[in-house]
Amino acid sequence: GNSVTQMEGPVTLSEEAFLTINCTYTATGYPSLFWYVQYPGEGLQLLLKATKADDKGSNKGFEATYRKETTSFHLEKGSVQVSDSAVYFCALKGQGAQKLVFGQGTRLTINP
Amino acid sequence: EPEVTQTPSHQVTQMGQEVILRCVPISNHLYFYWYRQILGQKVEFLVSFYNNEISEKSEIFDDQFSVERPDGSNFTLKIRSTKLEDSAMYFCASSADNSNQPQHFGDGTRLSIL
């Protein structure tokens, strides 16, 4: 079945550092890919999405490119801020499916 | 911006009791979902609901679980006889369609079974 694997956390960085959170997936057909973020005490918020190969999703300085050849959707940000501290979830929705399949989440802490 | 709202934020229940978790999806959305996250584990899909019936469910969603849209705004998840292992964060979500529109999540209900 479909699955998502994220890099193990937690990840701790200094402010203004470059961020990469790796995400790879296994799926048949052409899934849609998502990054969700969960700030402390809050629910899951959609951060960005990509629905077909080579699409780049972007929002709030974060970017991720749908790479079908490497089955990856890595999340990047050029300069992180303390306010980016949260748990980040990579997810996919299989072609024709309704459910989201989530990775295990990566906790990110940004120190001033 | 419209949002999905869930109540209560925290529910404490004795094992064996029934519990109902409530959700108000975004008003023009047509697809509704429940997910759960046991502490330290992945967010797992439970069920999706469209046109007043279950459209997909996972193995987790056994006979102890049911969903209902009792009126035009609420979407509920009922657990008939709770077990200790039902303790988790339960998330409701909704989407406008089932293709490219994303699912929007509520803040979750933390369910603690004693």
Side-chain angles (χ1 to χ4, degrees):
Chain A
N2 295 344
S3 66
V4 175
T5 302
Q6 285 181 238
M7 68 184 286
E8 292 287 331
V11 174
T12 302
L13 296 172
S14 298
E15 207 165 20
E16 299 184 1
F18 184 86
L19 168 71
T20 301
I21 301 178
N22 289 339
C23 171
T24 57
Y25 67 89
T26 302
T28 53
Y30 300 91
S32 295
L33 302 173
F34 305 85
W35 277 99
Y36 281 83
V37 58
Q38 185 177 31
Y39 298 104
E42 299 184 15
L44 298 166
Q45 298 177 23
L46 178 69
L47 182 59
L48 53 83
K49 67 172 185 173
T51 56
K52 60 183 188 296
D54 300 324
D55 268 3
K56 179 187 283 189
S58 61
N59 186 24
K60 299 181 181 180
F62 290 89
E63 294 182 341
T65 301
Y66 186 161
R67 301 280 189 206
K68 191 156 179 66
E69 64 276 13
T70 54
T71 61
S72 65
F73 193 55
H74 304 322
L75 183 68
E76 296 181 336
K77 186 174 185 182
S79 177
V80 292
Q81 306 300 313
V82 172
S83 57
D84 294 327
S85 298
V87 181
Y88 291 81
F89 293 91
C90 185
L92 74 79
K93 190 160 83 71
Q95 191 175 4
Q98 296 186 20
K99 67 180 183 184
L100 287 170
V101 176
F102 285 87
Q104 67 267 40
T106 301
R107 181 174 298 278
L108 174 67
T109 301
I110 307 300
N111 293 322
Chain B
E1 186 176 330
E3 56 183 29
V4 176
T5 56
Q6 290 185 242
T7 54
S9 56
H10 190 190
Q11 174 79 46
V12 181
T13 301
Q14 292 288 330
M15 186 173 59
Q17 296 297 305
E18 176 183 285
V19 67
I20 297 176
L21 309 182
R22 302 182 190 280
C23 169
V24 179
I26 294 173
S27 62
N28 63 343
H29 284 185
L30 301 176
Y31 291 81
F32 315 112
Y33 313 85
W34 284 100
Y35 293 81
R36 79 173 184 190
Q37 184 182 28
I38 295 172
L39 188 64
Q41 298 186 23
K42 290 186 179 186
V43 177
E44 303 171 290
F45 169 78
L46 293 178
V47 65
S48 60
F49 192 84
Y50 169 72
N51 200 26
N52 278 323
E53 58 183 31
I54 291 173
S55 47
E56 188 176 351
K57 62 181 181 178
S58 71
E59 293 177 352
I60 304 167
F61 194 88
D62 61 21
D63 292 345
Q64 292 298 309
F65 292 88
S66 63
V67 289
E68 191 177 31
R69 188 156 164 81
D71 52 42
S73 59
N74 289 283
F75 179 52
T76 61
L77 174 69
K78 182 193 291 186
I79 309 175
R80 255 177 278 282
S81 177
T82 50
K83 303 187 280 283
L84 293 176
E85 54 265 37
D86 294 327
S87 295
M89 180 72 90
Y90 287 80
F91 293 105
C92 174
S94 68
S95 64
D97 64 28
N98 187 37
S99 56
N100 291 332
Q101 292 304 309
Q103 295 178 20
H104 296 264
F105 284 76
D107 285 348
T109 293
R110 180 167 299 285
L111 178 63
S112 300
I113 307 300
L114 304 180

